[in-house]
Amino acid sequence: MAAYRRKTIGAAPAAAPLSDAERARLVEATKKAGIKGYDMDVWVDKDGYPVRMSVGIGTPQGTLKTDAHYADYGTAATVRTPPESETFDLFAMFKRLSELGAGA
């Protein structure tokens, strides 16, 4: 059985892997897009590993929802870089939202 936890996080994301400049750009783009924060629901197993995570990001256009499930910790995995057509630029998306007037 998994334990359930809920967290509400403000608009200034904790982005440890980003440089200070990248984090500043992300925070500014988040504010321009009108994102005030997000809710995160996490279920963890008996060993403390997440088994499910649901995130709802409040935007002026509605809530963006994502749901992820995790399993098979400790097993070997084959990882590949996805083709560019299966990725997107988060900063470009925020910039486009701000150009469209989101959050204005």
Side-chain angles (χ1 to χ4, degrees):
M1 173 179 250
Y4 170 78
R5 296 183 178 110
R6 181 174 187 92
K7 179 79 175 167
T8 298
I9 301 168
L18 301 178
S19 70
D20 289 344
E22 290 169 328
R23 184 176 187 283
R25 285 194 349 241
L26 176 58
V27 169
E28 182 61 28
T30 300
K31 288 178 183 176
K32 282 183 180 178
I35 297 171
K36 303 269 187 253
Y38 56 96
D39 293 321
M40 180 181 294
D41 298 296
V42 179
W43 291 258
V44 295
D45 67 13
K46 63 180 177 52
D47 297 319
Y49 292 110
V51 294
R52 180 179 173 201
M53 182 169 59
S54 295
V55 178
I57 302 172
T59 74
Q61 295 78 22
T63 301
L64 171 68
K65 295 180 180 181
T66 62
D67 197 31
H69 296 264
Y70 307 100
D72 300 325
Y73 288 99
T75 60
T78 301
V79 180
R80 67 170 180 82
T81 302
E84 190 171 327
S85 64
E86 295 179 13
T87 67
F88 73 96
D89 184 327
L90 181 64
F91 293 114
M93 181 188 73
F94 282 141
K95 181 178 181 192
R96 181 72 178 130
L97 284 172
S98 68
E99 289 168 354
L100 292 172

